[in-house]
Amino acid sequence: MLEHAAPLAMLLAGLLTHVLKKFLEVRQQMEALTLAMYLRARPYKTSLSVIGAGAGYLLIAEPSTPSLVAAFGVGYAADSMLEVVGARARAAR
């Protein structure tokens, strides 16, 4: 279990990096917005991002301990993919 500590930390770092990137983009339009307000405004997306990151990590961790770069990428992509799916769903309406 200890061999997964660093990759899991990188997974969370990747997830937080993308969340902060999106937060800063939104904050340019709404300067009074705080990170806590941003996360509370999107509870389902935040939860799904964490679940998706965990599922992605399990996929890459199955054969062996994943590299730190791979773990970071999975964390970043988990939130990013939800953005893409959400944008396409809004465009289809």
Side-chain angles (χ1 to χ4, degrees):
M1 182 66 177
L2 194 55
E3 68 269 8
H4 291 281
L8 284 171
M10 290 301 287
L11 176 85
L12 290 175
L15 184 61
L16 290 174
T17 299
H18 192 268
V19 168
L20 287 174
K21 176 187 158 283
K22 295 306 290 183
F23 165 69
L24 291 174
E25 288 174 4
V26 172
R27 188 165 182 198
Q28 287 179 349
Q29 298 166 353
M30 302 171 55
E31 292 183 13
L33 185 69
T34 65
L35 182 58
M37 291 166 54
Y38 176 74
L39 292 175
R40 270 186 259 135
R42 41 178 267 171
Y44 297 115
K45 186 170 179 311
T46 302
S47 300
L48 287 174
S49 293
V50 172
I51 291 168
Y57 183 81
L58 290 176
L59 289 173
I60 65 170
E62 178 64 29
S64 65
T65 303
S67 73
L68 298 180
V69 173
F72 182 89
V74 167
Y76 189 91
D79 193 62
S80 180
M81 291 308 293
L82 282 175
E83 290 290 330
V84 170
V85 170
R88 287 189 180 179
R90 286 188 296 274
R93 289 185 198 170

